[in-house]
Amino acid sequence: MKWEDLPEEMKTDGARPYYDILVKKRASLIIKRIFDFVISLLMLCLLSPVFLVLAILIKLDSKGPVFYRQVRVTTGSRDFRIYKFRTMVQNADKIGSLVTAGNDARITKIGSKIRKCRLDELPQLLNVIKGEMSFVGTRPEVRKYVEAYDDEMRATLLMPAGITSLASINFKDEDVIMDRYLDQGMSADTAYIKYVLPEKMKYNLEYMKTFSFWDDVKLMIKTFIKVLT
């Protein structure tokens, strides 16, 4: 995407250096997209039995749909609907914050177990196939939190949102971190925007500076190991 074709809110002085870096890595970005499509398609076929089992467990555990779809933001500040296995009560986003804490009463029994293993993220393979997401990249946020980005943070919208990232690994226990702020009497939204989001963005911006296809592969392996341990 050419700089002049980007939405006005993305054409900031803070984002421009990252754009210039990515222009020089166009070949790696093409390889990244081909890899994403092929591997996600293979994984969907291989994991179809897991999808079936999780779908049955979710339906038996609580009322509501198997999948949860929420509008998030990806490349070029475009809205898309992210797919996840539902781990909270039906209409949870209407009865509480858009971020969750470890002791969130909206999380279902089976949902708690699914979240610990990050199995709720598996349906995002569909988003990867559609080109809305990549295996590695900044986790997609809802528009409300994207509007809180500073000029430099908007650079993360130059690449597809990701299923995993270095920030995701280092903030694996984000629910626990959020609990600490909530215990101080802070609201979930304030804690996330003021403290958690800026720290995660440091990792996301560093990733963009040093992006390479092989580093993506290493990060995927690291994520797999973290999920198992």
Side-chain angles (χ1 to χ4, degrees), residues 19 41 58 100 128 225 228:
Y19 175 84
L41 196 59
I58 291 169
T100 58
V128 176
I225 294 172
L228 294 179

mmCIF file of all heavy atoms in Angstrom, residues 19 41 58 100 128 225 228:
data_model
loop_
_atom_site.group_PDB
_atom_site.id
_atom_site.type_symbol
_atom_site.label_atom_id
_atom_site.label_comp_id
_atom_site.label_asym_id
_atom_site.label_seq_id
_atom_site.Cartn_x
_atom_site.Cartn_y
_atom_site.Cartn_z
ATOM 1 N N TYR A 19 7.005 2.736 7.907
ATOM 2 C CA TYR A 19 6.578 2.510 6.520
ATOM 3 C C TYR A 19 7.797 2.350 5.622
ATOM 4 O O TYR A 19 7.858 1.446 4.782
ATOM 5 C CB TYR A 19 5.715 3.675 6.047
ATOM 6 C CG TYR A 19 5.329 3.581 4.584
ATOM 7 C CD1 TYR A 19 4.227 2.821 4.191
ATOM 8 C CD2 TYR A 19 6.083 4.237 3.604
ATOM 9 C CE1 TYR A 19 3.882 2.733 2.843
ATOM 10 C CE2 TYR A 19 5.747 4.140 2.274
ATOM 11 C CZ TYR A 19 4.649 3.388 1.889
ATOM 12 O OH TYR A 19 4.318 3.278 0.567
ATOM 13 N N LEU A 41 -4.425 -23.120 6.049
ATOM 14 C CA LEU A 41 -5.323 -24.053 5.370
ATOM 15 C C LEU A 41 -5.050 -25.486 5.816
ATOM 16 O O LEU A 41 -5.985 -26.257 6.109
ATOM 17 C CB LEU A 41 -5.137 -23.928 3.856
ATOM 18 C CG LEU A 41 -6.226 -24.541 2.967
ATOM 19 C CD1 LEU A 41 -7.574 -23.916 3.256
ATOM 20 C CD2 LEU A 41 -5.869 -24.366 1.500
ATOM 21 N N ILE A 58 -18.455 -26.337 24.436
ATOM 22 C CA ILE A 58 -18.963 -24.967 24.634
ATOM 23 C C ILE A 58 -20.483 -24.957 24.690
ATOM 24 O O ILE A 58 -21.086 -24.291 25.542
ATOM 25 C CB ILE A 58 -18.446 -24.043 23.516
ATOM 26 C CG1 ILE A 58 -16.934 -23.826 23.670
ATOM 27 C CG2 ILE A 58 -19.177 -22.690 23.534
ATOM 28 C CD1 ILE A 58 -16.273 -23.150 22.489
ATOM 29 N N THR A 100 -10.720 -8.213 29.667
ATOM 30 C CA THR A 100 -11.093 -9.089 30.770
ATOM 31 C C THR A 100 -9.977 -9.212 31.789
ATOM 32 O O THR A 100 -8.805 -9.092 31.457
ATOM 33 C CB THR A 100 -11.444 -10.504 30.256
ATOM 34 O OG1 THR A 100 -10.316 -11.023 29.547
ATOM 35 C CG2 THR A 100 -12.641 -10.457 29.336
ATOM 36 N N VAL A 128 -6.882 -15.585 8.983
ATOM 37 C CA VAL A 128 -5.586 -15.630 8.298
ATOM 38 C C VAL A 128 -5.788 -15.990 6.831
ATOM 39 O O VAL A 128 -5.200 -15.371 5.937
ATOM 40 C CB VAL A 128 -4.636 -16.642 8.975
ATOM 41 C CG1 VAL A 128 -3.328 -16.749 8.188
ATOM 42 C CG2 VAL A 128 -4.333 -16.216 10.400
ATOM 43 N N ILE A 225 5.690 -23.449 22.292
ATOM 44 C CA ILE A 225 6.358 -23.953 23.501
ATOM 45 C C ILE A 225 5.745 -23.315 24.752
ATOM 46 O O ILE A 225 5.500 -23.996 25.761
ATOM 47 C CB ILE A 225 7.878 -23.685 23.446
ATOM 48 C CG1 ILE A 225 8.520 -24.499 22.320
ATOM 49 C CG2 ILE A 225 8.539 -24.007 24.789
ATOM 50 C CD1 ILE A 225 9.978 -24.163 22.060
ATOM 51 N N LEU A 228 2.427 -24.836 25.734
ATOM 52 C CA LEU A 228 2.554 -26.184 26.321
ATOM 53 C C LEU A 228 3.119 -26.168 27.725
ATOM 54 O O LEU A 228 2.930 -27.129 28.484
ATOM 55 C CB LEU A 228 3.434 -27.057 25.416
ATOM 56 C CG LEU A 228 2.888 -27.398 24.032
ATOM 57 C CD1 LEU A 228 3.897 -28.242 23.264
ATOM 58 C CD2 LEU A 228 1.544 -28.112 24.129
#
